[in-house]
Amino acid sequence: MMESQLAELKASALARIAAAASAAELEVIRVEVAGRKGSQLTELSKGMGKVPPVDKGRIGKLFNETKTAIESALDARQAAFADAALNARLDAEWFDLTVPPPGVRPGALHPITIIQKEIEDLFTSMGFTVLSGPEVETEFNNFDALNIPPDHPARDMQDTFWLEGGHLLRTHTSPVQVRGMQRLGPPLRMIAPGRVFRNEEVDPSHEHTFYQLEGMMVDREVSVAYLIYYMKTLLQGIFKREVTVRLRPGYFPFVEPGFELDIQCLLCGGKGCPVCKQSGWVELLPCGLVHPNVLRLGGIDPEQWNGFAFGLGLTRLAMMRYAIDDIRHLQGGDLRFLRQFA
Ligand code: FA5
């Protein structure tokens, strides 16, 4: 009697377990078949009392086997449901760690930095050293050592931000010439890119903070022909095409003779626009042969050595190269502008 009931319960329980469609359904079956109170197994165990003593050992063992078989089937099925649930979640939630995150762009070089690096490569390939100097300079290096004594009218050519203690924000990169002569001595080939400051009205072609690139060569017999050769090499290297330039006399106390090298405006093709102030030409590259006083103040004997120097407007060069029609874009921090160079 008990034996057949156990066999029946086992068969029906295993069939129900196998047919369970979900973990919740399986839980209902567990309670009904093997739960502690009122389950089919618990009810059957109550019948054990009526089993004759001689059969007790065998039936008890059979009961335990049945119970274990049902419980193992429940556990196995439950584990299968848990596995399936985990797999479903993994399928739904997978992500690819190698995909770049949306909305984040890699950084890029600023257009002025791009040009600066190109010029540095060009000049280092011709034996020039790249130097830098401080943005806060002494009055001596910015003016006096460049043959501009305190009462010289040329001081007014560059509106200066004065600081305390005779210091100033350098108005040009020319003080690095002074540092270069003192540090390296002759013969000398150096360039010095850097940020400079002037107390100026800002307009499409003038900033109060902009970049220049200084160049200087000191050797035994440097002539204007050297100067023109290097300036042509510079402009061809940057524009990689024919550009129209003009050389006119220019006055700077630290060079003699001094020149202004202008480039025909590449934004309007020389017709006239706000960047070239309707003149068709953009002042880009003042230059000249180094004044003997400047060599002397730099510790170099002008009887033995001479040289050329130039002060390229790096910000303006970037404007010509990339056809930027307002200098204020360059330091405006507008990402829509900057991303064009990425
Ligand atoms: C000078 O600063 C001289 N130190 C250059 C020099 C060096 C001459 C060595 C001879 C020998 P200037 O003030 O003209 O010169 O400035 C040089 C260049 O800087 C200009 O041709 C122009 O391209 C650029 N520049 C001048 N002022 C501004 C400004 N406010 N905003 C942007 N670029 C400017």
Side-chain angles (χ1 to χ4, degrees), residues 111-119 238 314 317-318 321-322:
I112 293 179
T113 312
I114 296 173
I115 292 209
Q116 180 185 322
K117 291 204 173 302
E118 281 179 27
I119 300 178
I238 291 305
L314 203 54
L317 185 67
R321 159 90 164 256
Y322 294 114

Side-chain angles (χ1 to χ4, degrees), residues 210-213 283-286 311-319:
F210 58 98
Y211 288 80
Q212 288 188 343
L213 187 135
E283 262 184 32
L284 195 65
L285 227 171
L312 172 70
L314 203 54
T315 305
R316 293 232 181 117
L317 185 67
M319 292 174 74

Side-chain angles (χ1 to χ4, degrees), residues 118-152:
E118 281 179 27
I119 300 178
E120 286 178 7
D121 285 350
L122 188 72
F123 275 92
T124 48
S125 77
M126 297 189 290
F128 283 68
T129 306
V130 182
L131 294 183
S132 64
E135 291 173 352
V136 172
E137 259 296 3
T138 61
E139 188 179 346
F140 180 81
N141 282 347
N142 196 84
F143 290 125
D144 301 48
L146 294 165
N147 201 27
I148 318 175
D151 49 3
H152 197 290

Side-chain angles (χ1 to χ4, degrees), residues 163-218:
L163 306 172
E164 285 169 6
H167 286 80
L168 46 78
L169 291 179
R170 66 177 175 192
T171 55
H172 49 180
T173 41
S174 299
V176 193
Q177 286 184 26
V178 181
R179 293 174 178 274
M181 286 186 287
Q182 289 168 351
R183 216 172 101 190
L184 303 173
L188 165 70
R189 289 176 192 209
M190 55 154 276
I191 56 166
R195 191 158 59 159
V196 303
F197 310 85
R198 288 188 198 176
N199 195 353
E200 280 199 26
E201 286 288 329
V202 171
D203 67 25
S205 56
H206 290 84
E207 259 287 7
H208 48 71
T209 303
F210 58 98
Y211 288 80
Q212 288 188 343
L213 187 135
E214 196 79 8
M216 183 183 224
M217 176 175 182
V218 176

